[in-house]
Amino acid sequence: MDLTPRLELIGITKRYPRVQANNNINLKVMPGEIHALLGENGAGKSTLVKCIYGVQKADSGTLIWEGKKTQVTSPNVARRLGIGMVFQHFSLFDAMTVEENIVLGVSSKVVKAGIKERIIEISSRYGLPLEPQRYVHTLSVGERQRIEVVRCLLQNPSLLIMDEPTSVLTPQEVESLFKTLNRLSNDGVSILYISHKLQEIKELCHTATILRMGNLVDTCNPKNETPRSLAEKMMGRSLEKPTRKKNSQFGKPQILLKDLSYRAKQSYGTDLKNISLEVRGGEILGVAGVAGNGQRELMNVLSGEELGNKAESIVISGKNVGNIGPNDRRSLGMVFVPEERLGHGAVPQMGLSENAFLSGFTRMKLANNGFLRKLKTDKYASNIVTNYDVKTSGIRSLASSLSGGNLQKFIFGREIIQNPNIVIAMQPTWGVDAGSAAYIRQSLINLAEQGAAVLVISQDLEELFEIVDTICVIYEGRLSSPKQLEDITLEEVGMLMGGVIVNSQEDNLLNGI
Amino acid sequence: MVFKLEPRAVPSRVMIYQSPIIAVLLTLLAGMVMFRLLGTDPLQALDAFFIEPISTLDGIAELLVKAAPLILIAIGLSIGFQANVWNIGAEGQLTIGALFGGGLALAFYEFETPFLIPAMLIAGTFGGMIWAAIPALLKTRFNTNEILTSLMLTYVGLLILSYLIHGPLRDPDGFNFPESRLFHDSALMPLLIEGTRLHIGFLIALGVAIFAWLFIFKHVVGFQIRVVGLAPAAASFAGFKQKRLIWFALMISGGTAGLAGVIEVAGPIGQIVPVISPGYGFTAIIVAFLGRLHPIGVIFSGILMALTYLGGDSAQITMNLPSAVTGVFQGMLLFFLLASDVLIRYRVKIN
């Protein structure tokens, strides 16, 4: 076997104005190796990859490509060397076909060489079925990712970089992606695989490089590690799993959706179709699903940010609320945690105190005759900061100055202190460091134990299986009937997420599985 | 040596207040170059432009007379701008406000009552609001762009003025000049200092500024306006009603422009004439940005901008410079301000 590493990094260092993103990082990727790059958000994974792909320039350090010292000054140079990258966020045009999208992304040389045949050859060889004439907006996220992968493979890369490829896939799609990656690896293609999903890394990767706060912590063989030991290396401390007592005695239904349909306002949004569900006091209901299947619409309709429903299609605490806005729903005891923290859950350019006022003024009575009660608001904000372990220099700090995890803890604290009886949260731990994620999950569990009804919309199945009592799946705007967690397996949820046998609520879910 | 702009990790708060100062200094510098090229002594020209006009009590009174409408309009506009409502049509709203207030003065010609002036102020405000209600309705109903509608309505407003002043409102004893009657005494703004033209309009502007400050920073609706401008999605999360805020922003900015209009016709002008404002409605846009959309900042920038009007007149008289110098100074000021504002988000790095 060839012993020259395909890629070797020596002492890569990159500083941003306020952070040391990479500090003296060494990394070696052998031909055919699947190499995991592991770390929490902000550990420096993306910066390192950007340096390899030529998007960023390292302050110091050496990059050796197939034994030769090389300068990668731009993504073009990287592609010419044989480095391909599949980004987490796809760059595809919805209104064009698969083939058109691929042609747009590759050099004219490749196009002239008979691109159709090449697409077919690559997709059959690596198990990436694609229909060249389909329009992108009709495809699932998994299929869209295949376009990106095929587009990369057309350039014959010898190193493929994948940035969190599985975060939007169903378990079945993950499995088929892994088959593809293994085939590539057998053909000698090296893969640099960025993820924080530990089980996957253990399954797939030959080597793992772990980063923490810009520093190289360890290089190890993930097969010899447990997800827990990997997590602890990532975090630098031991991981506490959320705990909860088993509860099957739930209270009265707190929130009821009755045959709710909703036409999406955004183009390429997903219409909601005949959704019914109930969440009882003390219960955590999880809504799983691949992104873009109506989660955003469901969240907005639940929060009242988008109206257009019959009043009786949403009932909370016995009142019909389908046609009233967020604040009227808040005064009935509902609180919301939207997916997007900056710009939706909080105003980036405002201080924490003003952000506390944003959603707290109704229930916390922070206004008097229309005027802000500054002292009371400040007290409420300080209360959130101290009780929810928000690391910040004070309540005047701008929301944008907080890290993702800290801001999310602030937002959760802001909602929970309002003593709600219904909590709706979307992607509560998305992009949040593992420590904060565990904290947030635990506080959701505590809320339910105190009798609140909790509804969590999430793409993270691991998270849902950790905290929920009942689970259902949203697919193309329809909701499967809820199942107790004990009565359904991860595989079954995965199939529902992929659209297998969900036609309407009345269907027996398990028929045909 | 290469200058490079490097993004700052956080926008500089100091620079937000320094940038207008830098812009003023750069404007002065560029002004000196311009005067030099025009063949005059730069220092003497600057003196004629910026110092001489305000070296007498009368000069200072004139300065404040001109500052009052600028401050009033800019306060209204800055509230709108904070909510991302871009009312560019203050000039038209000013005109309609002047017609409403001035029309009332003419309708009650020679009525001796202390209530006439307050009634005219209210009518003027109302007139500006009506004119701003058209873009508000079009925006909330049909999602039209208020920049275009409010700007186009300015020209409609000016034509209405022109029609009325050549027809129904023309002074019957005015030898067919397109002017209204001179307002009688109880339809004129009370003077603050006898012997000058300084009237209570400036005090009204100061009062509105303080009121606006309280409103923006202490009141829930002011908070809503700031949130909707900074993060519209967060505003909808908080349950703030965007359409209502659009209406509100346009009513406020239209109302203050209308008020400025009636203050002009009942103040320094004293009648309705074909040209009521030397572009106050447009200049106020610069005033609002130069004052950082902050009511107190607007007071200072309004006074500074008023000085460019006075300076233009003075430079024309004493130095024989063209009156277009005023427009050049205003343009340079906005240009340099926008350029300096880059430094809020970026820093200059020298390699």
Side-chain angles (χ1 to χ4, degrees), chain A residues 40-42 341 388-391 399 401-413 428-440:
Chain A
E40 294 193 4
N41 291 292
R341 286 181 286 274
Y388 286 84
D389 189 32
V390 181
K391 289 187 192 72
S401 71
L402 266 62
S403 73
N406 272 312
L407 184 58
Q408 189 72 336
K409 283 196 275 187
F410 178 82
I411 291 174
F412 258 94
T429 62
W430 172 82
V432 163
D433 61 278
S436 304
Y439 188 95
I440 287 165

PDB file of all heavy atoms in Angstrom, chain A residues 40-42 341 388-391 399 401-413 428-440:
ATOM      1  N   GLU A  40     -17.099  19.965  18.906  1.00  0.00           N
ATOM      2  CA  GLU A  40     -18.335  20.702  19.116  1.00  0.00           C
ATOM      3  C   GLU A  40     -18.403  21.883  18.159  1.00  0.00           C
ATOM      4  O   GLU A  40     -17.427  22.208  17.499  1.00  0.00           O
ATOM      5  CB  GLU A  40     -18.377  21.221  20.557  1.00  0.00           C
ATOM      6  CG  GLU A  40     -18.468  20.131  21.580  1.00  0.00           C
ATOM      7  CD  GLU A  40     -18.817  20.700  22.943  1.00  0.00           C
ATOM      8  OE1 GLU A  40     -19.048  21.906  23.030  1.00  0.00           O
ATOM      9  OE2 GLU A  40     -18.877  19.931  23.884  1.00  0.00           O
ATOM     10  N   ASN A  41     -19.554  22.550  18.171  1.00  0.00           N
ATOM     11  CA  ASN A  41     -19.653  23.766  17.362  1.00  0.00           C
ATOM     12  C   ASN A  41     -18.645  24.772  17.860  1.00  0.00           C
ATOM     13  O   ASN A  41     -18.523  24.992  19.053  1.00  0.00           O
ATOM     14  CB  ASN A  41     -21.048  24.358  17.458  1.00  0.00           C
ATOM     15  CG  ASN A  41     -22.051  23.468  16.776  1.00  0.00           C
ATOM     16  OD1 ASN A  41     -22.014  23.331  15.575  1.00  0.00           O
ATOM     17  ND2 ASN A  41     -22.879  22.828  17.552  1.00  0.00           N
ATOM     18  N   GLY A  42     -17.938  25.379  16.929  1.00  0.00           N
ATOM     19  CA  GLY A  42     -16.960  26.384  17.321  1.00  0.00           C
ATOM     20  C   GLY A  42     -15.618  25.790  17.718  1.00  0.00           C
ATOM     21  O   GLY A  42     -14.749  26.497  18.192  1.00  0.00           O
ATOM     22  N   ARG A 341     -32.388  31.215  16.286  1.00  0.00           N
ATOM     23  CA  ARG A 341     -32.221  31.981  17.515  1.00  0.00           C
ATOM     24  C   ARG A 341     -32.037  33.452  17.217  1.00  0.00           C
ATOM     25  O   ARG A 341     -32.743  34.307  17.720  1.00  0.00           O
ATOM     26  CB  ARG A 341     -30.993  31.494  18.285  1.00  0.00           C
ATOM     27  CG  ARG A 341     -31.204  30.178  18.969  1.00  0.00           C
ATOM     28  CD  ARG A 341     -29.960  29.774  19.717  1.00  0.00           C
ATOM     29  NE  ARG A 341     -28.934  29.319  18.791  1.00  0.00           N
ATOM     30  CZ  ARG A 341     -28.847  28.080  18.342  1.00  0.00           C
ATOM     31  NH1 ARG A 341     -29.718  27.182  18.727  1.00  0.00           N
ATOM     32  NH2 ARG A 341     -27.905  27.733  17.512  1.00  0.00           N
ATOM     33  N   TYR A 388     -30.311  30.236  34.579  1.00  0.00           N
ATOM     34  CA  TYR A 388     -30.143  29.338  33.443  1.00  0.00           C
ATOM     35  C   TYR A 388     -28.703  29.307  32.953  1.00  0.00           C
ATOM     36  O   TYR A 388     -28.441  28.944  31.808  1.00  0.00           O
ATOM     37  CB  TYR A 388     -31.163  29.660  32.341  1.00  0.00           C
ATOM     38  CG  TYR A 388     -32.508  29.168  32.783  1.00  0.00           C
ATOM     39  CD1 TYR A 388     -33.312  29.935  33.609  1.00  0.00           C
ATOM     40  CD2 TYR A 388     -32.919  27.865  32.488  1.00  0.00           C
ATOM     41  CE1 TYR A 388     -34.506  29.456  34.107  1.00  0.00           C
ATOM     42  CE2 TYR A 388     -34.112  27.369  32.970  1.00  0.00           C
ATOM     43  CZ  TYR A 388     -34.897  28.168  33.778  1.00  0.00           C
ATOM     44  OH  TYR A 388     -36.066  27.674  34.266  1.00  0.00           O
ATOM     45  N   ASP A 389     -27.789  29.706  33.818  1.00  0.00           N
ATOM     46  CA  ASP A 389     -26.384  29.467  33.549  1.00  0.00           C
ATOM     47  C   ASP A 389     -25.950  30.064  32.211  1.00  0.00           C
ATOM     48  O   ASP A 389     -25.283  29.421  31.409  1.00  0.00           O
ATOM     49  CB  ASP A 389     -26.151  27.930  33.576  1.00  0.00           C
ATOM     50  CG  ASP A 389     -24.675  27.593  33.535  1.00  0.00           C
ATOM     51  OD1 ASP A 389     -23.887  28.388  34.076  1.00  0.00           O
ATOM     52  OD2 ASP A 389     -24.320  26.543  32.975  1.00  0.00           O
ATOM     53  N   VAL A 390     -26.386  31.314  31.958  1.00  0.00           N
ATOM     54  CA  VAL A 390     -26.021  31.987  30.709  1.00  0.00           C
ATOM     55  C   VAL A 390     -24.704  32.709  30.931  1.00  0.00           C
ATOM     56  O   VAL A 390     -24.603  33.549  31.821  1.00  0.00           O
ATOM     57  CB  VAL A 390     -27.111  33.008  30.307  1.00  0.00           C
ATOM     58  CG1 VAL A 390     -26.736  33.677  28.990  1.00  0.00           C
ATOM     59  CG2 VAL A 390     -28.463  32.334  30.200  1.00  0.00           C
ATOM     60  N   LYS A 391     -23.707  32.351  30.133  1.00  0.00           N
ATOM     61  CA  LYS A 391     -22.416  33.001  30.293  1.00  0.00           C
ATOM     62  C   LYS A 391     -22.374  34.261  29.454  1.00  0.00           C
ATOM     63  O   LYS A 391     -22.392  34.222  28.236  1.00  0.00           O
ATOM     64  CB  LYS A 391     -21.287  32.058  29.887  1.00  0.00           C
ATOM     65  CG  LYS A 391     -21.119  30.938  30.880  1.00  0.00           C
ATOM     66  CD  LYS A 391     -19.910  30.081  30.607  1.00  0.00           C
ATOM     67  CE  LYS A 391     -19.979  28.835  31.458  1.00  0.00           C
ATOM     68  NZ  LYS A 391     -21.039  27.885  30.987  1.00  0.00           N
ATOM     69  N   ALA A 399     -27.430  40.340  22.109  1.00  0.00           N
ATOM     70  CA  ALA A 399     -27.729  38.920  21.905  1.00  0.00           C
ATOM     71  C   ALA A 399     -26.728  38.294  20.948  1.00  0.00           C
ATOM     72  O   ALA A 399     -26.327  37.142  21.116  1.00  0.00           O
ATOM     73  CB  ALA A 399     -29.148  38.765  21.368  1.00  0.00           C
ATOM     74  N   SER A 401     -23.690  38.716  20.757  1.00  0.00           N
ATOM     75  CA  SER A 401     -22.368  38.455  21.324  1.00  0.00           C
ATOM     76  C   SER A 401     -22.329  37.124  22.074  1.00  0.00           C
ATOM     77  O   SER A 401     -21.270  36.671  22.470  1.00  0.00           O
ATOM     78  CB  SER A 401     -21.970  39.602  22.261  1.00  0.00           C
ATOM     79  OG  SER A 401     -22.745  39.562  23.437  1.00  0.00           O
ATOM     80  N   LEU A 402     -23.481  36.496  22.268  1.00  0.00           N
ATOM     81  CA  LEU A 402     -23.494  35.228  22.994  1.00  0.00           C
ATOM     82  C   LEU A 402     -23.225  34.063  22.040  1.00  0.00           C
ATOM     83  O   LEU A 402     -23.601  34.123  20.870  1.00  0.00           O
ATOM     84  CB  LEU A 402     -24.869  35.021  23.654  1.00  0.00           C
ATOM     85  CG  LEU A 402     -25.011  35.487  25.091  1.00  0.00           C
ATOM     86  CD1 LEU A 402     -24.796  36.972  25.200  1.00  0.00           C
ATOM     87  CD2 LEU A 402     -26.365  35.103  25.650  1.00  0.00           C
ATOM     88  N   SER A 403     -22.632  33.001  22.579  1.00  0.00           N
ATOM     89  CA  SER A 403     -22.471  31.805  21.760  1.00  0.00           C
ATOM     90  C   SER A 403     -23.839  31.169  21.565  1.00  0.00           C
ATOM     91  O   SER A 403     -24.779  31.457  22.308  1.00  0.00           O
ATOM     92  CB  SER A 403     -21.537  30.820  22.455  1.00  0.00           C
ATOM     93  OG  SER A 403     -22.211  30.238  23.550  1.00  0.00           O
ATOM     94  N   GLY A 404     -23.941  30.295  20.562  1.00  0.00           N
ATOM     95  CA  GLY A 404     -25.226  29.661  20.263  1.00  0.00           C
ATOM     96  C   GLY A 404     -25.842  28.992  21.479  1.00  0.00           C
ATOM     97  O   GLY A 404     -27.025  29.173  21.783  1.00  0.00           O
ATOM     98  N   GLY A 405     -25.025  28.236  22.204  1.00  0.00           N
ATOM     99  CA  GLY A 405     -25.532  27.516  23.368  1.00  0.00           C
ATOM    100  C   GLY A 405     -26.014  28.460  24.458  1.00  0.00           C
ATOM    101  O   GLY A 405     -27.068  28.252  25.056  1.00  0.00           O
ATOM    102  N   ASN A 406     -25.254  29.505  24.701  1.00  0.00           N
ATOM    103  CA  ASN A 406     -25.640  30.444  25.751  1.00  0.00           C
ATOM    104  C   ASN A 406     -26.897  31.208  25.389  1.00  0.00           C
ATOM    105  O   ASN A 406     -27.761  31.430  26.237  1.00  0.00           O
ATOM    106  CB  ASN A 406     -24.503  31.422  26.027  1.00  0.00           C
ATOM    107  CG  ASN A 406     -23.552  30.868  27.053  1.00  0.00           C
ATOM    108  OD1 ASN A 406     -23.975  30.384  28.097  1.00  0.00           O
ATOM    109  ND2 ASN A 406     -22.272  30.902  26.741  1.00  0.00           N
ATOM    110  N   LEU A 407     -26.997  31.596  24.132  1.00  0.00           N
ATOM    111  CA  LEU A 407     -28.195  32.327  23.720  1.00  0.00           C
ATOM    112  C   LEU A 407     -29.416  31.407  23.818  1.00  0.00           C
ATOM    113  O   LEU A 407     -30.487  31.817  24.263  1.00  0.00           O
ATOM    114  CB  LEU A 407     -28.033  32.858  22.297  1.00  0.00           C
ATOM    115  CG  LEU A 407     -29.199  33.712  21.806  1.00  0.00           C
ATOM    116  CD1 LEU A 407     -29.423  34.906  22.718  1.00  0.00           C
ATOM    117  CD2 LEU A 407     -28.956  34.191  20.390  1.00  0.00           C
ATOM    118  N   GLN A 408     -29.232  30.147  23.431  1.00  0.00           N
ATOM    119  CA  GLN A 408     -30.371  29.230  23.503  1.00  0.00           C
ATOM    120  C   GLN A 408     -30.785  29.003  24.956  1.00  0.00           C
ATOM    121  O   GLN A 408     -31.969  28.920  25.265  1.00  0.00           O
ATOM    122  CB  GLN A 408     -30.011  27.905  22.803  1.00  0.00           C
ATOM    123  CG  GLN A 408     -31.186  26.961  22.617  1.00  0.00           C
ATOM    124  CD  GLN A 408     -32.177  27.429  21.553  1.00  0.00           C
ATOM    125  OE1 GLN A 408     -32.271  28.616  21.248  1.00  0.00           O
ATOM    126  NE2 GLN A 408     -32.929  26.508  21.005  1.00  0.00           N
ATOM    127  N   LYS A 409     -29.804  28.944  25.863  1.00  0.00           N
ATOM    128  CA  LYS A 409     -30.159  28.805  27.282  1.00  0.00           C
ATOM    129  C   LYS A 409     -30.917  30.048  27.748  1.00  0.00           C
ATOM    130  O   LYS A 409     -31.870  29.960  28.520  1.00  0.00           O
ATOM    131  CB  LYS A 409     -28.898  28.599  28.135  1.00  0.00           C
ATOM    132  CG  LYS A 409     -28.364  27.178  28.032  1.00  0.00           C
ATOM    133  CD  LYS A 409     -27.373  26.862  29.141  1.00  0.00           C
ATOM    134  CE  LYS A 409     -25.987  27.307  28.771  1.00  0.00           C
ATOM    135  NZ  LYS A 409     -24.966  26.869  29.747  1.00  0.00           N
ATOM    136  N   PHE A 410     -30.479  31.212  27.263  1.00  0.00           N
ATOM    137  CA  PHE A 410     -31.170  32.453  27.625  1.00  0.00           C
ATOM    138  C   PHE A 410     -32.618  32.410  27.135  1.00  0.00           C
ATOM    139  O   PHE A 410     -33.550  32.722  27.874  1.00  0.00           O
ATOM    140  CB  PHE A 410     -30.442  33.657  27.023  1.00  0.00           C
ATOM    141  CG  PHE A 410     -31.110  34.969  27.291  1.00  0.00           C
ATOM    142  CD1 PHE A 410     -30.923  35.628  28.497  1.00  0.00           C
ATOM    143  CD2 PHE A 410     -31.980  35.528  26.360  1.00  0.00           C
ATOM    144  CE1 PHE A 410     -31.568  36.828  28.765  1.00  0.00           C
ATOM    145  CE2 PHE A 410     -32.622  36.726  26.623  1.00  0.00           C
ATOM    146  CZ  PHE A 410     -32.415  37.372  27.828  1.00  0.00           C
ATOM    147  N   ILE A 411     -32.792  31.996  25.877  1.00  0.00           N
ATOM    148  CA  ILE A 411     -34.146  31.968  25.304  1.00  0.00           C
ATOM    149  C   ILE A 411     -35.021  30.963  26.057  1.00  0.00           C
ATOM    150  O   ILE A 411     -36.164  31.254  26.409  1.00  0.00           O
ATOM    151  CB  ILE A 411     -34.086  31.649  23.802  1.00  0.00           C
ATOM    152  CG1 ILE A 411     -33.460  32.826  23.063  1.00  0.00           C
ATOM    153  CG2 ILE A 411     -35.456  31.329  23.248  1.00  0.00           C
ATOM    154  CD1 ILE A 411     -33.211  32.595  21.587  1.00  0.00           C
ATOM    155  N   PHE A 412     -34.456  29.800  26.346  1.00  0.00           N
ATOM    156  CA  PHE A 412     -35.226  28.817  27.117  1.00  0.00           C
ATOM    157  C   PHE A 412     -35.592  29.360  28.491  1.00  0.00           C
ATOM    158  O   PHE A 412     -36.720  29.242  28.936  1.00  0.00           O
ATOM    159  CB  PHE A 412     -34.436  27.514  27.255  1.00  0.00           C
ATOM    160  CG  PHE A 412     -34.919  26.470  26.302  1.00  0.00           C
ATOM    161  CD1 PHE A 412     -34.311  26.330  25.078  1.00  0.00           C
ATOM    162  CD2 PHE A 412     -35.997  25.670  26.621  1.00  0.00           C
ATOM    163  CE1 PHE A 412     -34.777  25.398  24.170  1.00  0.00           C
ATOM    164  CE2 PHE A 412     -36.465  24.737  25.715  1.00  0.00           C
ATOM    165  CZ  PHE A 412     -35.856  24.587  24.485  1.00  0.00           C
ATOM    166  N   GLY A 413     -34.600  29.951  29.149  1.00  0.00           N
ATOM    167  CA  GLY A 413     -34.864  30.526  30.460  1.00  0.00           C
ATOM    168  C   GLY A 413     -35.966  31.558  30.399  1.00  0.00           C
ATOM    169  O   GLY A 413     -36.880  31.576  31.215  1.00  0.00           O
ATOM    170  N   PRO A 428     -34.597  22.389  19.412  1.00  0.00           N
ATOM    171  CA  PRO A 428     -34.120  23.112  20.595  1.00  0.00           C
ATOM    172  C   PRO A 428     -32.610  23.076  20.789  1.00  0.00           C
ATOM    173  O   PRO A 428     -32.062  23.995  21.394  1.00  0.00           O
ATOM    174  CB  PRO A 428     -34.828  22.402  21.752  1.00  0.00           C
ATOM    175  CG  PRO A 428     -35.265  21.095  21.211  1.00  0.00           C
ATOM    176  CD  PRO A 428     -35.516  21.296  19.758  1.00  0.00           C
ATOM    177  N   THR A 429     -31.933  22.076  20.263  1.00  0.00           N
ATOM    178  CA  THR A 429     -30.490  22.014  20.523  1.00  0.00           C
ATOM    179  C   THR A 429     -29.668  22.068  19.247  1.00  0.00           C
ATOM    180  O   THR A 429     -28.507  21.718  19.227  1.00  0.00           O
ATOM    181  CB  THR A 429     -30.118  20.737  21.302  1.00  0.00           C
ATOM    182  OG1 THR A 429     -30.469  19.613  20.495  1.00  0.00           O
ATOM    183  CG2 THR A 429     -30.852  20.673  22.616  1.00  0.00           C
ATOM    184  N   TRP A 430     -30.284  22.553  18.176  1.00  0.00           N
ATOM    185  CA  TRP A 430     -29.582  22.655  16.901  1.00  0.00           C
ATOM    186  C   TRP A 430     -28.402  23.620  17.028  1.00  0.00           C
ATOM    187  O   TRP A 430     -28.559  24.742  17.487  1.00  0.00           O
ATOM    188  CB  TRP A 430     -30.575  23.132  15.848  1.00  0.00           C
ATOM    189  CG  TRP A 430     -29.975  23.465  14.534  1.00  0.00           C
ATOM    190  CD1 TRP A 430     -29.661  22.590  13.538  1.00  0.00           C
ATOM    191  CD2 TRP A 430     -29.632  24.758  14.067  1.00  0.00           C
ATOM    192  NE1 TRP A 430     -29.137  23.269  12.485  1.00  0.00           N
ATOM    193  CE2 TRP A 430     -29.105  24.589  12.774  1.00  0.00           C
ATOM    194  CE3 TRP A 430     -29.701  26.043  14.600  1.00  0.00           C
ATOM    195  CZ2 TRP A 430     -28.660  25.652  12.018  1.00  0.00           C
ATOM    196  CZ3 TRP A 430     -29.246  27.098  13.834  1.00  0.00           C
ATOM    197  CH2 TRP A 430     -28.736  26.899  12.556  1.00  0.00           C
ATOM    198  N   GLY A 431     -27.227  23.144  16.659  1.00  0.00           N
ATOM    199  CA  GLY A 431     -26.052  24.015  16.691  1.00  0.00           C
ATOM    200  C   GLY A 431     -25.613  24.434  18.077  1.00  0.00           C
ATOM    201  O   GLY A 431     -24.938  25.432  18.246  1.00  0.00           O
ATOM    202  N   VAL A 432     -26.021  23.667  19.078  1.00  0.00           N
ATOM    203  CA  VAL A 432     -25.706  24.030  20.457  1.00  0.00           C
ATOM    204  C   VAL A 432     -24.656  23.043  20.964  1.00  0.00           C
ATOM    205  O   VAL A 432     -24.700  21.866  20.622  1.00  0.00           O
ATOM    206  CB  VAL A 432     -27.004  23.958  21.294  1.00  0.00           C
ATOM    207  CG1 VAL A 432     -26.705  23.915  22.768  1.00  0.00           C
ATOM    208  CG2 VAL A 432     -27.924  25.106  20.935  1.00  0.00           C
ATOM    209  N   ASP A 433     -23.703  23.499  21.769  1.00  0.00           N
ATOM    210  CA  ASP A 433     -22.673  22.579  22.256  1.00  0.00           C
ATOM    211  C   ASP A 433     -23.291  21.506  23.156  1.00  0.00           C
ATOM    212  O   ASP A 433     -24.365  21.688  23.721  1.00  0.00           O
ATOM    213  CB  ASP A 433     -21.582  23.348  22.997  1.00  0.00           C
ATOM    214  CG  ASP A 433     -22.132  24.074  24.195  1.00  0.00           C
ATOM    215  OD1 ASP A 433     -22.695  25.183  24.013  1.00  0.00           O
ATOM    216  OD2 ASP A 433     -22.040  23.536  25.299  1.00  0.00           O
ATOM    217  N   ALA A 434     -22.596  20.376  23.264  1.00  0.00           N
ATOM    218  CA  ALA A 434     -23.181  19.209  23.917  1.00  0.00           C
ATOM    219  C   ALA A 434     -23.586  19.499  25.359  1.00  0.00           C
ATOM    220  O   ALA A 434     -24.622  19.012  25.832  1.00  0.00           O
ATOM    221  CB  ALA A 434     -22.205  18.038  23.864  1.00  0.00           C
ATOM    222  N   GLY A 435     -22.801  20.291  26.066  1.00  0.00           N
ATOM    223  CA  GLY A 435     -23.125  20.591  27.458  1.00  0.00           C
ATOM    224  C   GLY A 435     -24.436  21.351  27.563  1.00  0.00           C
ATOM    225  O   GLY A 435     -25.335  20.978  28.326  1.00  0.00           O
ATOM    226  N   SER A 436     -24.574  22.406  26.760  1.00  0.00           N
ATOM    227  CA  SER A 436     -25.807  23.191  26.787  1.00  0.00           C
ATOM    228  C   SER A 436     -26.983  22.358  26.310  1.00  0.00           C
ATOM    229  O   SER A 436     -28.095  22.484  26.821  1.00  0.00           O
ATOM    230  CB  SER A 436     -25.689  24.426  25.895  1.00  0.00           C
ATOM    231  OG  SER A 436     -24.597  25.200  26.269  1.00  0.00           O
ATOM    232  N   ALA A 437     -26.730  21.493  25.309  1.00  0.00           N
ATOM    233  CA  ALA A 437     -27.817  20.665  24.781  1.00  0.00           C
ATOM    234  C   ALA A 437     -28.381  19.787  25.883  1.00  0.00           C
ATOM    235  O   ALA A 437     -29.600  19.678  26.054  1.00  0.00           O
ATOM    236  CB  ALA A 437     -27.311  19.817  23.617  1.00  0.00           C
ATOM    237  N   ALA A 438     -27.496  19.162  26.664  1.00  0.00           N
ATOM    238  CA  ALA A 438     -27.958  18.295  27.749  1.00  0.00           C
ATOM    239  C   ALA A 438     -28.762  19.112  28.756  1.00  0.00           C
ATOM    240  O   ALA A 438     -29.823  18.679  29.241  1.00  0.00           O
ATOM    241  CB  ALA A 438     -26.766  17.630  28.435  1.00  0.00           C
ATOM    242  N   TYR A 439     -28.296  20.313  29.030  1.00  0.00           N
ATOM    243  CA  TYR A 439     -28.969  21.201  29.980  1.00  0.00           C
ATOM    244  C   TYR A 439     -30.376  21.549  29.495  1.00  0.00           C
ATOM    245  O   TYR A 439     -31.354  21.496  30.242  1.00  0.00           O
ATOM    246  CB  TYR A 439     -28.127  22.467  30.115  1.00  0.00           C
ATOM    247  CG  TYR A 439     -28.577  23.422  31.194  1.00  0.00           C
ATOM    248  CD1 TYR A 439     -28.006  23.372  32.464  1.00  0.00           C
ATOM    249  CD2 TYR A 439     -29.562  24.363  30.934  1.00  0.00           C
ATOM    250  CE1 TYR A 439     -28.411  24.248  33.444  1.00  0.00           C
ATOM    251  CE2 TYR A 439     -29.974  25.242  31.913  1.00  0.00           C
ATOM    252  CZ  TYR A 439     -29.395  25.183  33.172  1.00  0.00           C
ATOM    253  OH  TYR A 439     -29.791  26.045  34.139  1.00  0.00           O
ATOM    254  N   ILE A 440     -30.467  21.878  28.209  1.00  0.00           N
ATOM    255  CA  ILE A 440     -31.762  22.275  27.643  1.00  0.00           C
ATOM    256  C   ILE A 440     -32.731  21.099  27.629  1.00  0.00           C
ATOM    257  O   ILE A 440     -33.896  21.224  27.998  1.00  0.00           O
ATOM    258  CB  ILE A 440     -31.552  22.847  26.226  1.00  0.00           C
ATOM    259  CG1 ILE A 440     -30.917  24.228  26.331  1.00  0.00           C
ATOM    260  CG2 ILE A 440     -32.854  22.908  25.457  1.00  0.00           C
ATOM    261  CD1 ILE A 440     -30.330  24.745  25.052  1.00  0.00           C
TER     262      ILE A 440
END
